[in-house]
Amino acid sequence: APQRPESKGGALAAGGKEQGDDAVVAAMLERAGQTHLLEGLNPEQCKRLLAQAKWLDTSYSSGLEAYIGNARKLLKASKLDENPLEGLTPSVPTGERLNYGDAQFQSFEDRGLREAPFSAFVLVAGGLGERLGFPGIKLKIAATSVTGWSFLEYYCR
């Protein structure tokens, strides 16, 4: 069975059980200037938000505080009309030209199948389907009338 790669995460990922308590997460949010997120929440909502913050902290490679700091830096640069990519030149990466069915193709195919359980796939499908006469997101539009599966369900299957 596939195993989830270990998270490098932030400060909350490093410690023991006592570091995962709500007070530690709340202190991290305070350091990050995000305590306004907790205002007006009932105790259950607060507990859920703190659990989400802990998960986010362990999910982002440098932790949630670093994510917030990076977001602020990028927003400030945008406000000043600065381009964080200034001076970089886009280039086409080198790759392999494969011929369907040959030995090299099959070796890449086999490797891809071994790696698939450890992979994530992202579909970008810009927005709602109102121009198509559909009230929801485009990924929910039926991809086939035979099964009635949405595009997303069809892709996942």
Side-chain angles (χ1 to χ4, degrees):
Q3 293 185 2
R4 189 177 193 173
E6 285 189 35
S7 169
K8 294 188 173 54
L12 300 177
K17 185 175 180 181
E18 69 282 352
Q19 277 200 314
D21 68 7
D22 292 348
V24 173
V25 180
M28 184 267 301
L29 289 176
E30 187 171 353
R31 286 190 307 275
Q34 298 296 305
T35 54
H36 62 281
L37 298 173
L38 301 171
E39 293 172 5
L41 300 182
N42 66 39
E44 181 57 35
Q45 292 170 323
C46 187
K47 190 164 191 65
R48 281 199 322 259
L49 188 132
L50 292 172
Q52 289 175 354
K54 180 180 179 190
W55 182 83
L56 289 169
D57 185 65
T58 60
S59 299
Y60 188 69
S61 62
S62 301
L64 189 53
E65 288 179 85
Y67 178 86
I68 293 166
N70 191 45
R72 286 183 175 141
K73 179 178 131 191
L74 291 171
L75 286 169
K76 181 179 178 184
S78 176
K79 185 177 180 180
L80 297 171
D81 204 26
E82 294 174 357
N83 181 356
L85 304 177
E86 188 72 41
L88 300 177
T89 305
S91 62
V92 176
T94 58
E96 301 286 335
R97 181 167 298 276
L98 301 174
N99 295 309
Y100 182 77
D102 69 10
Q104 185 182 26
F105 177 92
Q106 194 57 50
S107 76
F108 280 108
E109 182 82 3
D110 293 343
R111 173 135 189 229
L113 289 172
R114 285 193 310 273
E115 297 297 326
F118 307 103
S119 302
F121 300 89
V122 177
L123 301 174
V124 179
L128 298 174
E130 66 268 354
R131 287 181 308 187
L132 304 172
F134 186 75
I137 63 170
K138 291 177 190 161
L139 291 175
K140 284 188 163 184
I141 295 175
T144 170
S145 59
V146 175
T147 64
W149 295 345
S150 69
F151 174 76
L152 186 57
E153 183 176 4
Y154 183 81
Y155 183 83
C156 290
R157 287 176 180 245

